[in-house]
Amino acid sequence: MSISDKIKNLLTKAETGGNLTREDIVALLKLPGDYSPALFAAADRVRKEQMGDEIFLRGIIEFSNYCERNCLYCGLRKSNDKLSRYRMTDDEIINTAQEIKNSRISTVVLQSGEDFFYSTGKICRLIEQIKNETDLIITLSIGERSASDFQSFQQAGANRYLLKHETASAELYKYIRPGCQLDKRMQCLHSLKHLGFETGTGNMAGLPGQTHEILADDLLVMKILDADMLGIGPFIAHPDTPFAGIENDDIEMTLRVLAIARLLTRNTNIPATTALATLHPQGRLLALQAGANVVMPDFTPEIYKIRYDIYPGRTDVGSAAEIISQLEKDFQSIGRTLLYSPGNRPGK
Ligand code: SF4
């Protein structure tokens, strides 16, 4: 069989839901560049068949940029004393959730660094208040907590939880997240799944020391966990971190990981991340044509938004209304419309 026949067979196997091995995934990650359009088109067809043409919206509130961790790439790391820190007041958070509701979006994502100023009780009270006043679906993205905390959040009314595993290599994980362990991260993810949260995980593509095999393992983690949401973004180092100056302009590899994630997991919710839009002016549209089906407009008030400085050059400046109206125009150009309803994973 010629090489091109082998590649075509592999792409057909991936598109039709065949059981992809680690070796298959590595081969897809390493495809010669001229096969990328075929890989993205296959992922796009599976997205259409499984999720339809509507783009699911989630409104984000980045309510605190304090963090106890020291991840080597992230501008929010505890040791970055150049960052001006903030915590939104409860009223500001509730008012912003109300804005999300007013713009007809049904889901709020509450995101912060790992900030233990927010005790379990404090987070639960916020959840209850947002639920009572807006009835939004609530997603938390606040880092690692204990299984009993997760249960309390759920009892208070949280529905979904995002916790990217970042990398499936225990060694690389320990290096980029000093003092943290992959095992502990995975335990959190299993607890969340066990409790019945719609659970999101994900990774970064382009990390220093990352191999195709590690990326394949990342994808298998997503599949084996049966994650409901997948956040896949490019590694972008912040200049005020130990990884300053390490470049990653390879949007192609991030798009490949995203496309393979769609082929492997079929009906998951996959955002076109802001990080992709930061790396490439068309990054978001490219992701939406390579398997992504979710966009997360940032509703954080302007005074805080610029200080949620995870990586440099974050796009999406302007009010959320302006951002949504721009997104609407962009998405019409690729034949897609916006969906304001909760957009659960099918079957959830
Ligand atoms: S990646 Fe998350 S946990 Fe790590 S420093 Fe940044 S905000 Fe904190």
Side-chain angles (χ1 to χ4, degrees):
M1 200 189 298
S2 70
I3 291 180
S4 74
D5 282 343
K6 276 191 191 158
I7 293 175
K8 278 182 199 144
N9 284 350
L10 180 58
L11 285 170
T12 305
K13 179 178 174 185
E15 183 170 347
T16 54
N19 194 13
L20 294 177
T21 62
R22 185 178 191 249
E23 206 181 8
D24 290 337
I25 297 171
V26 170
L28 288 169
L29 289 165
K30 286 182 170 173
L31 281 182
D34 45 349
Y35 282 95
S36 286
L39 174 67
F40 300 155
D44 198 43
R45 284 190 292 272
V46 172
R47 183 273 309 154
K48 186 179 174 73
E49 168 200 297
Q50 299 281 335
M51 312 302 287
D53 273 335
E54 288 164 316
I55 294 167
F56 300 179
L57 290 173
R58 283 79 165 94
I60 305 194
I61 308 175
E62 292 150 344
F63 64 93
S64 159
N65 70 353
Y66 281 84
C67 189
E68 295 291 318
R69 307 285 184 202
N70 254 320
C71 303
L72 296 187
Y73 47 89
C74 175
L76 302 198
R77 68 197 307 267
K78 189 176 183 177
S79 304
N80 180 12
D81 48 21
K82 289 194 187 157
L83 184 66
S84 146
R85 306 278 172 174
Y86 71 85
R87 291 186 180 109
M88 287 172 65
T89 64
D90 289 5
D91 280 351
E92 286 174 324
I93 298 172
I94 307 293
N95 290 341
T96 311
Q98 199 66 57
E99 256 185 66
I100 293 175
K101 172 89 176 173
N102 294 345
S103 70
R104 297 186 296 131
I105 295 178
S106 316
T107 307
V108 57
V109 180
L110 294 175
Q111 183 157 286
S112 67
E114 293 212 5
D115 182 1
F116 289 94
F117 166 82
Y118 291 92
S119 62
T120 312
K122 202 165 168 47
I123 295 284
C124 287
R125 280 192 296 279
L126 265 176
I127 295 169
E128 282 160 7
Q129 214 178 335
I130 292 175
K131 235 6 184 204
N132 286 340
E133 295 191 22
T134 66
D135 203 28
L136 290 167
I137 301 275
I138 298 176
T139 305
L140 296 177
S141 174
I142 60 173
E144 293 177 20
R145 299 272 175 147
S146 69
S148 71
D149 282 1
F150 294 147
Q151 194 164 20
S152 303
F153 300 153
Q154 190 178 45
Q155 282 161 355
N159 312 82
R160 301 174 179 164
Y161 206 104
L162 302 176
L163 190 71
K164 289 169 71 171
H165 69 274
E166 307 294 4
T167 173
S169 156
E171 211 177 317
L172 187 55
Y173 187 91
K174 219 163 69 181
Y175 170 55
I176 63 170
R177 299 175 59 86
C180 302
Q181 285 183 348
L182 182 59
D183 278 0
K184 174 129 190 287
R185 195 78 162 179
M186 293 311 299
Q187 270 169 24
C188 288
L189 284 163
H190 288 298
S191 300
L192 290 163
K193 270 307 273 188
H194 180 70
L195 285 164
F197 274 95
E198 267 197 70
T199 304
T201 193
N203 70 338
M204 276 181 288
L207 281 166
Q210 190 175 50
T211 60
H212 291 108
E213 286 71 19
I214 292 175
L215 282 171
D217 289 341
D218 283 341
L219 286 153
L220 288 169
V221 163
M222 300 173 199
K223 168 83 177 164
I224 293 163
L225 181 71
D226 190 24
D228 306 292
M229 307 174 278
L230 306 175
I232 295 160
F235 159 74
I236 304 176
H238 191 284
D240 299 323
T241 66
F243 276 176
I246 301 180
E247 298 287 338
N248 173 29
D249 51 11
D250 187 5
I251 188 174
E252 170 96 4
M253 186 50 75
T254 308
L255 290 173
R256 278 189 186 209
V257 175
L258 193 153
I260 299 167
R262 169 62 67 206
L263 294 166
L264 200 59
T265 64
R266 319 300 285 180
N267 66 355
T268 44
N269 280 320
I270 306 182
T273 56
T274 311
L276 267 168
T278 301
L279 216 56
H280 188 287
Q282 297 298 310
R284 194 180 263 138
L285 286 183
L286 292 171
L288 288 166
Q289 295 171 94
N293 71 313
V294 175
V295 166
M296 303 166 82
D298 189 348
F299 280 73
T300 310
E302 287 297 312
I303 43 161
Y304 301 126
K305 194 189 277 186
I306 45 164
R307 288 150 76 188
Y308 203 82
D309 194 18
I310 302 186
Y311 51 79
R314 290 173 82 218
T315 53
D316 268 2
V317 280
S319 73
E322 286 161 356
I323 292 165
I324 293 174
S325 132
Q326 185 56 48
L327 292 175
E328 226 151 22
K329 281 188 213 135
D330 290 350
F331 299 160
Q332 271 165 11
S333 71
I334 56 166
R336 309 273 284 277
T337 51
L338 296 181
L339 178 83
Y340 289 85
S341 59
N344 296 337
R345 184 183 187 191
K348 285 277 171 178

Coordinates of all heavy atoms in Angstrom, one line a residue, residues 54-113:
E54 N -24.5 25.1 15.1 CA -24.6 26.2 16.0 C -23.4 26.3 16.9 O -22.9 25.3 17.3 CB -25.9 26.1 16.8 CG -27.1 26.4 16.0 CD -28.4 25.9 16.7 OE1 -28.4 24.8 17.2 OE2 -29.4 26.7 16.7
I55 N -23.0 27.5 17.2 CA -21.9 27.7 18.1 C -22.4 28.0 19.5 O -23.2 29.0 19.6 CB -21.0 28.9 17.6 CG1 -20.4 28.4 16.2 CG2 -19.9 29.2 18.6 CD1 -19.7 29.6 15.4
F56 N -22.0 27.2 20.4 CA -22.5 27.4 21.8 C -21.7 28.5 22.5 O -20.5 28.5 22.4 CB -22.3 26.1 22.6 CG -23.0 24.9 22.0 CD1 -22.9 23.6 22.7 CD2 -23.8 24.9 20.9 CE1 -23.6 22.5 22.2 CE2 -24.5 23.8 20.4 CZ -24.4 22.6 21.0
L57 N -22.5 29.3 23.2 CA -21.8 30.5 23.9 C -21.8 30.2 25.4 O -22.7 29.7 26.0 CB -22.7 31.7 23.7 CG -22.7 32.3 22.2 CD1 -23.7 33.5 22.2 CD2 -21.3 32.8 21.9
R58 N -20.7 30.6 26.0 CA -20.5 30.6 27.5 C -19.9 32.0 27.9 O -19.0 32.4 27.3 CB -19.6 29.6 28.0 CG -20.1 28.1 28.0 CD -20.1 27.5 26.7 NE -20.2 26.0 26.7 CZ -21.3 25.4 26.6 NH1 -22.5 26.0 26.5 NH2 -21.4 24.1 26.5
G59 N -20.5 32.7 28.9 CA -20.0 33.9 29.3 C -19.0 33.7 30.4 O -19.4 33.1 31.4
I60 N -17.8 34.3 30.3 CA -16.8 34.1 31.4 C -16.7 35.3 32.3 O -16.8 36.5 31.8 CB -15.4 33.9 30.8 CG1 -15.3 32.8 29.8 CG2 -14.4 33.7 31.9 CD1 -13.9 32.4 29.5
I61 N -16.6 35.1 33.6 CA -16.2 36.1 34.5 C -14.9 35.7 35.2 O -14.9 34.7 35.9 CB -17.3 36.3 35.6 CG1 -18.7 36.5 35.0 CG2 -16.9 37.5 36.5 CD1 -19.8 36.6 36.0
E62 N -13.8 36.5 35.0 CA -12.6 36.2 35.7 C -12.5 37.0 37.0 O -12.2 38.2 37.0 CB -11.4 36.6 34.7 CG -11.4 35.7 33.5 CD -10.8 36.4 32.3 OE1 -10.7 37.6 32.2 OE2 -10.5 35.6 31.3
F63 N -13.0 36.4 38.0 CA -13.3 37.1 39.2 C -12.1 37.4 40.2 O -12.2 38.2 41.1 CB -14.5 36.5 40.0 CG -14.2 35.1 40.5 CD1 -13.8 35.0 41.8 CD2 -14.5 34.0 39.8 CE1 -13.6 33.7 42.4 CE2 -14.2 32.8 40.3 CZ -13.8 32.6 41.6
S64 N -11.0 36.7 40.0 CA -9.8 36.9 40.9 C -8.6 36.5 40.1 O -8.6 35.4 39.5 CB -9.9 36.1 42.2 OG -8.6 36.0 42.7
N65 N -7.6 37.3 40.1 CA -6.3 36.9 39.5 C -5.2 36.6 40.5 O -4.1 36.5 40.2 CB -5.8 38.0 38.5 CG -5.3 39.3 39.2 OD1 -5.4 39.4 40.4 ND2 -4.7 40.2 38.4
Y66 N -5.6 36.3 41.7 CA -4.7 35.8 42.7 C -4.5 34.3 42.5 O -5.5 33.6 42.1 CB -5.3 36.0 44.2 CG -5.1 37.4 44.7 CD1 -6.0 38.4 44.4 CD2 -4.0 37.7 45.5 CE1 -5.9 39.6 44.9 CE2 -3.9 39.0 46.0 CZ -4.8 40.0 45.7 OH -4.7 41.2 46.2
C67 N -3.3 33.8 42.7 CA -3.0 32.4 42.5 C -1.9 31.9 43.5 O -0.9 32.6 43.7 CB -2.7 32.0 41.1 SG -2.7 30.2 40.9
E68 N -2.2 30.8 44.1 CA -1.2 30.2 45.0 C -0.1 29.4 44.3 O 0.9 29.0 44.9 CB -1.9 29.2 45.9 CG -3.0 29.7 46.9 CD -2.3 30.6 47.9 OE1 -1.3 30.2 48.5 OE2 -2.9 31.7 48.2
R69 N -0.3 29.2 43.0 CA 0.6 28.3 42.3 C 1.7 29.1 41.6 O 1.6 30.3 41.4 CB -0.1 27.5 41.2 CG -1.3 26.7 41.8 CD -0.8 25.5 42.6 NE -1.9 24.7 43.0 CZ -1.8 23.8 44.1 NH1 -0.7 23.7 44.7 NH2 -2.8 23.1 44.4
N70 N 2.7 28.4 41.0 CA 3.8 29.1 40.4 C 4.1 28.5 39.0 O 5.3 28.2 38.7 CB 5.0 29.0 41.3 CG 5.3 30.4 41.9 OD1 5.2 31.4 41.3 ND2 5.6 30.4 43.2
C71 N 3.1 28.2 38.2 CA 3.3 27.6 36.9 C 4.3 28.4 36.1 O 4.2 29.6 36.1 CB 2.0 27.4 36.2 SG 0.8 26.4 37.2
L72 N 5.2 27.7 35.5 CA 6.4 28.4 34.9 C 6.0 29.3 33.7 O 6.9 30.1 33.3 CB 7.4 27.4 34.4 CG 8.1 26.5 35.5 CD1 9.2 25.7 34.9 CD2 8.6 27.4 36.6
Y73 N 4.8 29.2 33.2 CA 4.5 29.9 31.9 C 3.5 31.0 32.2 O 3.2 31.9 31.4 CB 3.8 28.9 30.9 CG 2.8 28.1 31.5 CD1 1.5 28.4 31.6 CD2 3.2 26.8 32.1 CE1 0.5 27.6 32.2 CE2 2.2 26.0 32.7 CZ 0.9 26.4 32.8 OH 0.0 25.6 33.4
C74 N 2.8 31.0 33.4 CA 1.6 31.8 33.6 C 1.8 33.1 34.3 O 2.4 33.2 35.3 CB 0.6 30.9 34.3 SG -0.9 31.8 34.7
G75 N 1.3 34.2 33.7 CA 1.4 35.5 34.3 C 0.7 35.7 35.6 O 1.1 36.6 36.4
L76 N -0.2 34.8 36.0 CA -0.9 34.9 37.3 C -0.1 34.2 38.4 O -0.5 34.3 39.6 CB -2.3 34.2 37.3 CG -3.3 34.7 36.3 CD1 -4.7 34.3 36.7 CD2 -3.3 36.2 36.1
R77 N 1.1 33.6 38.1 CA 1.8 32.8 39.1 C 2.1 33.7 40.3 O 2.4 34.9 40.2 CB 3.1 32.2 38.5 CG 4.1 33.3 38.1 CD 5.2 32.7 37.1 NE 5.8 31.5 37.6 CZ 6.9 31.4 38.3 NH1 7.6 32.5 38.6 NH2 7.4 30.3 38.7
K78 N 2.1 33.0 41.4 CA 2.3 33.8 42.7 C 3.5 34.7 42.7 O 3.5 35.8 43.3 CB 2.4 32.7 43.8 CG 2.3 33.3 45.2 CD 2.3 32.2 46.3 CE 2.1 32.9 47.6 NZ 2.0 31.8 48.7
S79 N 4.6 34.2 42.2 CA 5.9 35.0 42.3 C 5.9 36.2 41.3 O 6.9 36.9 41.3 CB 7.1 34.1 42.0 OG 7.1 33.0 42.8
N80 N 4.9 36.3 40.5 CA 4.9 37.5 39.5 C 4.5 38.7 40.3 O 3.3 39.0 40.3 CB 4.1 37.2 38.3 CG 4.1 38.4 37.4 OD1 4.9 39.3 37.5 ND2 3.2 38.4 36.4
D81 N 5.5 39.4 40.8 CA 5.0 40.6 41.6 C 4.8 41.9 40.8 O 4.5 42.9 41.3 CB 6.0 40.9 42.8 CG 7.4 40.8 42.4 OD1 7.7 41.0 41.2 OD2 8.3 40.6 43.2
K82 N 5.0 41.7 39.5 CA 4.7 42.9 38.6 C 3.1 43.0 38.3 O 2.7 44.0 37.9 CB 5.4 42.7 37.2 CG 6.8 42.9 37.3 CD 7.4 43.0 35.9 CE 8.9 43.0 35.9 NZ 9.5 42.7 34.7
L83 N 2.4 41.9 38.6 CA 1.0 41.9 38.3 C 0.2 42.6 39.4 O 0.4 42.4 40.6 CB 0.5 40.4 38.2 CG -0.9 40.2 37.8 CD1 -1.2 40.7 36.4 CD2 -1.4 38.8 38.0
S84 N -0.7 43.5 38.9 CA -1.6 44.1 39.9 C -2.8 43.2 40.2 O -3.5 42.9 39.3 CB -1.9 45.5 39.3 OG -3.2 45.9 39.6
R85 N -2.9 42.8 41.4 CA -3.9 41.8 41.7 C -5.3 42.4 42.0 O -5.4 43.5 42.5 CB -3.5 40.9 42.9 CG -2.1 40.3 42.8 CD -2.1 39.0 42.0 NE -0.7 38.6 41.7 CZ -0.4 37.4 41.2 NH1 -1.4 36.6 40.8 NH2 0.8 37.1 40.9
Y86 N -6.3 41.6 41.8 CA -7.7 42.1 42.1 C -8.6 40.9 42.5 O -8.3 39.8 42.1 CB -8.3 42.8 40.9 CG -8.7 41.9 39.7 CD1 -9.9 41.2 39.7 CD2 -7.8 41.6 38.7 CE1 -10.2 40.3 38.7 CE2 -8.1 40.7 37.6 CZ -9.3 40.1 37.7 OH -9.7 39.2 36.7
R87 N -9.6 41.2 43.2 CA -10.7 40.3 43.5 C -12.0 41.1 43.2 O -12.1 42.2 43.8 CB -10.7 39.7 44.9 CG -9.6 38.8 45.2 CD -9.7 38.1 46.5 NE -8.6 37.2 46.7 CZ -7.6 37.4 47.6 NH1 -7.6 38.5 48.3 NH2 -6.6 36.5 47.7
M88 N -12.9 40.6 42.4 CA -14.1 41.4 42.2 C -15.0 41.2 43.5 O -14.9 40.2 44.1 CB -14.9 40.8 41.0 CG -14.2 41.2 39.7 SD -15.0 40.3 38.2 CE -16.7 40.9 38.2
T89 N -15.8 42.2 43.8 CA -16.7 42.1 44.9 C -17.8 41.1 44.5 O -18.1 40.9 43.4 CB -17.3 43.4 45.3 OG1 -18.1 43.9 44.3 CG2 -16.2 44.5 45.6
D90 N -18.5 40.6 45.6 CA -19.6 39.8 45.3 C -20.7 40.5 44.4 O -21.2 39.9 43.4 CB -20.3 39.3 46.6 CG -19.5 38.3 47.3 OD1 -18.3 38.1 46.9 OD2 -19.9 37.8 48.4
D91 N -20.9 41.7 44.7 CA -21.9 42.5 43.9 C -21.4 42.6 42.5 O -22.3 42.5 41.5 CB -22.1 43.9 44.5 CG -23.0 43.9 45.7 OD1 -23.6 42.8 46.0 OD2 -23.1 44.9 46.4
E92 N -20.2 42.9 42.3 CA -19.7 43.0 40.9 C -19.8 41.7 40.2 O -20.2 41.6 39.0 CB -18.2 43.4 40.9 CG -17.9 44.8 41.3 CD -16.4 45.1 41.4 OE1 -15.7 44.3 41.9 OE2 -16.0 46.3 41.0
I93 N -19.6 40.6 40.9 CA -19.7 39.2 40.2 C -21.2 39.0 39.8 O -21.5 38.6 38.7 CB -19.2 38.1 41.1 CG1 -17.7 38.3 41.4 CG2 -19.4 36.7 40.5 CD1 -17.1 37.4 42.4
I94 N -22.1 39.3 40.8 CA -23.5 39.0 40.5 C -24.0 39.9 39.4 O -24.7 39.5 38.5 CB -24.4 39.3 41.8 CG1 -23.9 38.5 43.0 CG2 -25.9 39.0 41.5 CD1 -24.0 37.0 42.9
N95 N -23.6 41.2 39.4 CA -24.0 42.1 38.4 C -23.5 41.7 37.0 O -24.2 41.8 36.0 CB -23.5 43.6 38.6 CG -24.2 44.2 39.8 OD1 -25.3 43.7 40.2 ND2 -23.7 45.2 40.4
T96 N -22.3 41.1 37.0 CA -21.7 40.7 35.7 C -22.5 39.4 35.2 O -22.8 39.3 34.0 CB -20.2 40.4 35.8 OG1 -19.6 41.5 36.4 CG2 -19.6 40.2 34.5
A97 N -22.9 38.6 36.2 CA -23.7 37.4 35.8 C -25.0 37.8 35.2 O -25.5 37.3 34.3 CB -23.9 36.5 37.0
Q98 N -25.6 38.9 35.8 CA -26.8 39.4 35.3 C -26.7 39.9 33.9 O -27.5 39.8 33.0 CB -27.2 40.6 36.2 CG -28.7 41.0 36.2 CD -29.6 39.8 36.6 OE1 -29.5 39.4 37.8 NE2 -30.6 39.4 35.8
E99 N -25.5 40.6 33.6 CA -25.2 41.0 32.2 C -25.2 39.9 31.2 O -25.7 40.0 30.1 CB -23.8 41.7 32.2 CG -23.8 43.2 32.1 CD -22.4 43.6 32.0 OE1 -21.7 43.3 30.9 OE2 -21.8 44.2 33.0
I100 N -24.6 38.8 31.7 CA -24.6 37.6 30.8 C -26.0 37.1 30.5 O -26.4 36.8 29.4 CB -23.8 36.4 31.5 CG1 -22.3 36.9 31.6 CG2 -23.9 35.1 30.8 CD1 -21.4 36.0 32.3
K101 N -26.8 37.1 31.6 CA -28.2 36.7 31.5 C -28.9 37.6 30.5 O -29.7 37.2 29.6 CB -28.9 36.7 32.9 CG -30.3 36.6 32.9 CD -30.7 35.1 33.0 CE -32.2 34.9 33.1 NZ -32.5 33.5 33.1
N102 N -28.7 38.9 30.7 CA -29.3 39.9 29.8 C -28.9 39.8 28.4 O -29.7 40.2 27.5 CB -29.0 41.4 30.3 CG -29.6 41.6 31.7 OD1 -30.5 40.9 32.1 ND2 -29.1 42.7 32.3
S103 N -27.8 39.3 28.1 CA -27.4 39.1 26.7 C -27.8 37.8 26.2 O -27.4 37.3 25.1 CB -25.8 39.2 26.6 OG -25.2 38.1 27.1
R104 N -28.7 37.1 26.9 CA -29.4 35.8 26.5 C -28.5 34.6 26.6 O -29.0 33.5 26.2 CB -30.0 36.0 25.1 CG -31.1 37.0 25.1 CD -31.8 37.0 23.7 NE -30.9 37.4 22.6 CZ -30.8 36.7 21.5 NH1 -31.6 35.6 21.3 NH2 -30.0 37.0 20.6
I105 N -27.3 34.7 27.0 CA -26.4 33.5 27.2 C -26.9 32.8 28.5 O -27.2 33.4 29.5 CB -24.9 34.0 27.3 CG1 -24.5 34.6 26.0 CG2 -24.1 32.8 27.6 CD1 -23.1 35.1 26.0
S106 N -26.9 31.4 28.4 CA -27.5 30.6 29.5 C -26.4 30.1 30.5 O -26.8 29.4 31.4 CB -28.2 29.4 28.9 OG -29.0 29.8 27.9
T107 N -25.2 30.3 30.2 CA -24.1 29.7 31.0 C -23.1 30.7 31.4 O -22.6 31.4 30.6 CB -23.4 28.6 30.1 OG1 -24.3 27.7 29.6 CG2 -22.4 27.8 30.9
V108 N -22.7 30.6 32.7 CA -21.6 31.5 33.2 C -20.4 30.6 33.6 O -20.7 29.5 34.2 CB -22.0 32.4 34.3 CG1 -22.6 31.6 35.5 CG2 -20.9 33.3 34.8
V109 N -19.2 31.0 33.2 CA -18.0 30.3 33.7 C -17.4 31.2 34.7 O -17.0 32.3 34.4 CB -17.1 30.0 32.5 CG1 -15.8 29.3 33.0 CG2 -17.7 29.2 31.4
L110 N -17.3 30.8 36.0 CA -16.6 31.6 37.0 C -15.1 31.1 37.1 O -14.9 29.9 37.4 CB -17.3 31.3 38.3 CG -18.7 31.8 38.5 CD1 -19.2 31.4 39.9 CD2 -18.7 33.4 38.4
Q111 N -14.2 32.0 36.7 CA -12.8 31.5 36.6 C -11.9 32.4 37.4 O -12.1 33.6 37.6 CB -12.4 31.7 35.1 CG -11.0 31.2 34.8 CD -10.8 30.8 33.4 OE1 -11.3 29.8 32.9 NE2 -10.2 31.7 32.6
S112 N -10.9 31.7 38.0 CA -9.9 32.5 38.8 C -8.6 31.7 38.9 O -8.6 30.5 38.4 CB -10.4 32.7 40.3 OG -10.5 31.4 40.9
G113 N -7.6 32.3 39.5 CA -6.4 31.5 39.8 C -6.8 30.6 41.0 O -7.9 30.6 41.4

